[in-house]
């Protein structure tokens, strides 16, 4: 039995790669470390974005576990330009997984890179894995394992959020949201 805990970063000051956590986000990162006390953690993988790394740093410090950053865990880029109707554009990418806006990444491409991280982690011999990333990418990763997950589930996510994927076999996990705000 392997556990993969997928963590959405805490509240941040922006969307840029170097956006820091807000004061509330820093407190949430400590709460997240408390939340994981009593749970085994063998490895921590994180998006290299500052808000993701800082979200899990308190837990890593408490456990003495290094944080391995992986560029494949960065947030999915919807489009190379800003659009006022970005939410509707995003919603459509859950219906058409190959929909690709100029300068962006399709849902299938994002799903594939995130799923590769999980597959490699499961094959690493580690049983309790924490992966820290961003809302849209996480929702697509969860969709990879359960096609019923979509735009509404993305909208319902909080900062932070934690999903537990329990793998009894290598392919289809049970998925449970375990974070309570």
């Amino acid at each position: 039995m392997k556990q993969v805990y997928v963590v959405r970063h805490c509240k941040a000051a922006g969307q840029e790669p170097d956006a820091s956590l807000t004061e509330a986000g820093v407190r949430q990162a400590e709460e997240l470390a408390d939340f994981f006390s009593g749970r085994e953690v063998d490895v921590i993988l994180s998006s290299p974005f500052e808000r993701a790394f800082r979200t899990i740093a308190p837990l890593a410090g408490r456990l003495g576990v290094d944080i391995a950053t992986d560029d494949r865990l960065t947030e999915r880029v919807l489009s190379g330009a800003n659009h006022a109707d970005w939410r509707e554009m995003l919603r459509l990418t859950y219906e058409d997984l190959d929909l690709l806006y100029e300068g962006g990444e399709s849902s299938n491409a994002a799903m594939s890179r995130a799923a590769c991280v999980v597959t490699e982690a499961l094959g690493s011999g580690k049983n309790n894995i924490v992966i820290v990333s961003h809302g849209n990418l996480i929702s697509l990763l969860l969709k990879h394992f359960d096609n019923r997950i979509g735009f509404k589930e993305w909208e319902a996510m909080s900062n932070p959020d934690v999903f537990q994927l329990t793998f009894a076999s290598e392919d289809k996990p049970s998925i449970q949201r375990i974070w309570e705000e």
Side-chain angles (χ1 to χ4, degrees):
M1 190 83 66
K2 296 187 180 199
Q3 305 294 329
V4 177
Y5 299 98
V6 182
V7 178
R8 185 182 191 190
H9 65 80
C10 298
K11 290 192 188 320
Q15 295 297 311
E16 306 79 26
D18 62 348
S20 61
L21 295 179
T22 63
E23 283 184 36
V26 170
R27 285 190 304 275
Q28 290 170 335
E30 290 295 335
E31 292 168 11
L32 196 60
D34 293 342
F35 175 80
F36 273 99
S37 69
R39 296 178 196 267
E40 286 190 44
V41 175
D42 301 320
V43 64
I44 298 173
L45 307 172
S46 176
S47 160
F49 285 14
E50 183 75 7
R51 61 190 179 272
F53 189 87
R54 294 291 165 215
T55 289
I56 208 63
L59 176 63
R62 287 185 196 183
L63 298 176
V65 174
D66 290 333
I67 302 169
T69 60
D70 191 319
D71 289 341
R72 296 173 295 178
L73 295 173
T74 59
E75 181 62 290
R76 177 252 195 119
V77 174
L78 180 64
S79 170
N82 290 327
H83 294 273
D85 62 343
W86 69 269
R87 288 179 76 86
E88 177 61 14
M89 292 171 67
L90 180 63
R91 187 188 66 73
L92 293 172
T93 67
Y94 285 93
E95 294 174 8
D96 178 354
L97 300 179
D98 291 316
L99 179 58
L100 179 63
Y101 299 110
E102 187 174 342
E105 180 180 29
S106 73
S107 292
N108 269 332
M111 223 183 299
S112 177
R113 68 178 162 92
C116 284
V117 173
V118 172
T119 300
E120 288 173 17
L122 291 171
S124 71
K126 306 293 185 186
N127 292 325
N128 301 289
I129 302 152
V130 173
I131 294 177
V132 187
S133 190
H134 309 271
N136 185 216
L137 188 70
I138 289 171
S139 68
L140 291 170
L141 174 62
L142 298 176
K143 184 173 187 60
H144 172 80
F145 293 112
D146 183 347
N147 195 44
R148 296 171 296 179
I149 293 172
F151 182 75
K152 287 191 305 190
E153 288 73 19
W154 167 79
E155 279 187 311
M157 290 176 74
S158 62
N159 289 90
D161 216 332
V162 182
F163 297 85
Q164 181 176 348
L165 284 61
T166 303
F167 289 84
S169 65
E170 293 291 319
D171 56 345
K172 192 96 166 137
S174 67
I175 299 173
Q176 182 180 6
R177 181 176 186 248
I178 60 171
W179 181 255
E180 294 180 18
E181 296 176 73

